[in-house]
Structures are given as structure tokens and as C-alpha cells.
Amino acid sequence: MRVRVASRAIPGSRFLDPTVLSRIGNLELVAQTVVEGFISGMHSSPFLGLSLDFAAHRPYMPGDDIRKVDWRVYARTDRFYVKEYEAETNASVMFALDVSRSMDYGSGEVTKLDYARFLTACLAYLSAGQRDRVGAAIFDADLVDHVAPSVRNRRLVLAAIDRARPQRAGELIQPLRKVGESLRRSGIVVVVSDFYAPPKTVLEAVAALRSKGHDVILFHVLDHAELRFPFDTPRSFEDLETGERLPITPEEMGEEYREQVGAHTSELARLMAQNGIDYELFDTSEPLDGALFRYLSLREKRLKGRS
């Protein structure tokens, strides 16, 4: 069975507002709330975007869906057995989360790291529900925490994401090289970062993963103010990576800033498309249902490419 991913927002998406989620306090509860609300809103299978294949029978238990009863087996044995399925495309999914100091910025209640943690936790919870092997790599200038992909590691992954804190300046090439070396089989690597690096440096860092046979997805998380630069009075801006402060007059620099950010994100999108790497840009003011739709759409696209 394959379910087509819709392109519209789900009913009740206001409950996926990152500002509201930041007040819940428990990351696993956040992930459960978002994913189960998302699936309920779509009124479709929890195995979204996946083909399912028959795996085995097991005895019927009270509460099982009667539609899963194998009536042919019942006719032969006079006993109730339920069909169990496994995802035909079970994957190893490694979530690489950037916790460098620049991720600590937020113009509102939610920082980039808050949003990235919500996003990564929801995707890990969703993938684990699809019986994928999930793992996590938390990094700044080096690997900070690592959980190898496994079907049993959902809670370990969520715990690693939950304890992630920004402490040092970031780097991409070295930590992502270590992520690639840690993976014993090809799978999906989802890198969640603000990608504060030249586009060619980002490509160099993730192309090594691509060359090892991994499907690579980049989720580029930026604060709404970083994208729109809504400031209208002179002030000093601090580089969170270096601590350097720079006085800026928005009337003089605002338009140039927006052009440079647009050029940076456009060049990232172009380079990744040329190299078979998926790239998605997220504004931290966006509800998380959009992130889940895009992730599932990418999964569906890959499945079609393999079928």
C-alpha cells in the first residue's frame, strides 16, 4: 500500500506552531503531539509514503484490527491470525543536528536550535513509527553525541536531541566526515543546520556522504529575522560564532543584506540540485506540518525512483 502525500496544510496545524510547542517542555511529548496530530489530520495510514510488504502471521489479540485477520488461514486452521507487515523500504536514517553557537539565535521565543530540535525529533519519531532504523549525530566543530541507527533507538535519539546545547563555534566538513565513517550501511542522512558556511563548503561536507551511497537531505533552518531583516533602527549585531560586534544602519544595509541571504540560499539550492542532494529552507516562524509534508514528499519521491 502506498499513500500519496498531500500538499495542503492539515486541519489543526495551529497546534504545530513552534512557539506553542516550546511551552510543552518534554521533547518526546512534542514529537508525539506533532506526529500523531499530523497523521490524524491526514486521515491516512501511519506508514505514510512507504510501500508495505507481508512479513509474518501472529495470533489475533483483543483490540487488533479485524481487517488484518487472514481469513484464508482461519479457513484452514479454525484459528484467528493477523497479518503483520514490514516496510518494504525500511531505511537507516541518521539525523545530524548542528548545535553550534549560531543556532542559539532567535528573534522571538523560539531559537533556531529550538526549531531544529523540534523538527529533528518529529522526523525521528515519524521514521521510527515507519520501522526505520533511526540514529542521531549531534555536532558543532566536532561530534558531540552519537547514537547508531537502530529500530530500538527512538528514545535514545530523542534523548540525545533533547540534551543538545549550543556551546562552541561550528564546522561542517570534519563532523560530517565522521558521521559518514560511522555508518555501516547506506541510508538516509538528514542534516539540520543554519549552514553558516560558503555554499561550496557545505557541498564539500555533504558530497562525501553522497559519494558513499547515502541519500542526503539538507534542512536549512533560519530565523524569520535572518531571512527578512525587519530592523528599522541602528544597532550593533553580534556574530554568535566569533563574538564580533558590528554597528549597522538598517536603512543603508537592509536591502543589501536580504540580497546576500537570497543569493546564499539560492546558490545552496542550485549546488545541491546539481549533485542529487535534497535541500529545503525553513523559517522558524513556520508551523511544523510543512516540514513533515516536505519530508514525506521527499521519501515518496525516492520510493518512486526505486520502484
Side-chain angles (χ1 to χ4, degrees):
M1 175 178 62
R2 178 171 290 164
V3 180
R4 178 169 296 279
V5 179
S7 59
R8 58 182 177 81
I10 65 170
S13 63
R14 64 186 181 279
F15 297 112
L16 307 181
D17 186 306
T19 302
V20 175
L21 295 174
S22 69
R23 298 167 187 159
I24 293 179
N26 182 299
L27 191 62
E28 183 167 5
L29 182 57
V30 167
Q32 181 180 353
T33 299
V34 171
V35 171
E36 292 183 0
F38 172 77
I39 291 172
S40 175
M42 291 187 70
H43 303 290
S44 53
S45 166
F47 296 94
L48 292 165
L50 292 179
S51 296
L52 298 182
D53 206 11
F54 173 71
H57 287 100
R58 65 168 174 79
Y60 176 85
M61 300 290 291
D64 284 338
D65 188 340
I66 195 171
R67 291 173 296 180
K68 294 182 180 179
V69 172
D70 191 326
W71 297 107
R72 292 184 179 179
V73 172
Y74 172 75
R76 294 197 307 269
T77 66
D78 201 31
R79 294 182 180 180
F80 292 106
Y81 286 90
V82 171
K83 291 181 178 180
E84 286 196 321
Y85 294 83
E86 63 182 1
E88 183 182 39
T89 53
N90 286 127
S92 288
V93 189
M94 173 61 82
F95 294 95
L97 174 62
D98 180 358
V99 296
S100 59
R101 281 200 299 261
S102 65
M103 294 288 286
D104 201 28
Y105 176 71
S107 60
E109 293 185 40
V110 177
T111 67
K112 287 184 286 185
L113 183 55
D114 290 333
Y115 191 92
R117 287 166 62 233
F118 296 158
L119 170 60
T120 308
C122 292
L123 296 177
Y125 192 96
L126 179 63
S127 295
Q130 294 177 155
R131 303 178 188 176
D132 288 334
R133 295 173 291 274
V134 294
I138 312 300
F139 72 94
D140 44 34
D142 202 347
L143 281 185
V144 176
D145 206 346
H146 182 270
V147 179
S150 169
V151 293
R152 301 179 181 88
N153 277 357
R154 186 191 74 188
R155 289 193 170 179
L156 291 177
V157 167
L158 293 177
I161 297 168
D162 195 27
R163 60 178 171 260
R165 297 293 182 270
Q167 295 180 340
R168 301 184 295 185
E171 213 260 299
L172 290 172
I173 294 176
Q174 175 76 355
L176 292 184
R177 178 183 63 79
K178 290 186 176 181
V179 170
E181 291 173 350
S182 74
L183 297 173
R184 298 180 179 179
R185 66 178 84 191
S186 61
I188 299 171
V189 180
V190 181
V191 185
V192 185
S193 171
D194 57 7
F195 295 113
Y196 267 16
K200 288 186 178 179
T201 301
V202 177
L203 177 61
E204 181 182 353
V206 299
L209 294 167
R210 191 76 184 91
S211 67
K212 292 179 177 290
H214 301 294
D215 287 327
V216 181
I217 303 173
L218 303 190
F219 283 163
H220 190 180
V221 176
L222 290 178
D223 187 87
H224 184 75
E226 291 178 310
L227 289 165
R228 305 303 177 196
F229 201 77
F231 310 104
D232 55 10
T233 58
R235 65 185 69 193
S236 291
F237 291 83
E238 180 181 349
D239 185 329
L240 292 178
E241 296 282 300
T242 66
E244 181 182 357
R245 298 181 71 87
L246 182 67
I248 288 181
T249 303
E251 289 182 357
E252 298 176 359
M253 300 291 295
E255 189 59 35
E256 180 182 351
Y257 171 88
R258 284 186 285 269
E259 288 178 359
Q260 289 186 3
V261 169
H264 178 75
T265 56
S266 295
E267 181 65 2
L268 277 173
R270 185 187 70 81
L271 286 176
M272 299 309 141
Q274 282 184 347
N275 289 272
I277 297 167
D278 288 302
Y279 169 84
E280 294 289 337
L281 176 63
F282 292 96
D283 181 329
T284 56
S285 64
E286 293 181 349
L288 284 167
D289 59 324
L292 295 176
F293 271 116
R294 280 183 252 184
Y295 177 70
L296 289 172
S297 295
L298 293 172
R299 292 292 300 272
E300 184 184 42
K301 181 177 71 175
R302 285 198 171 88
L303 289 170
K304 286 183 176 179
R306 291 171 182 167
S307 59

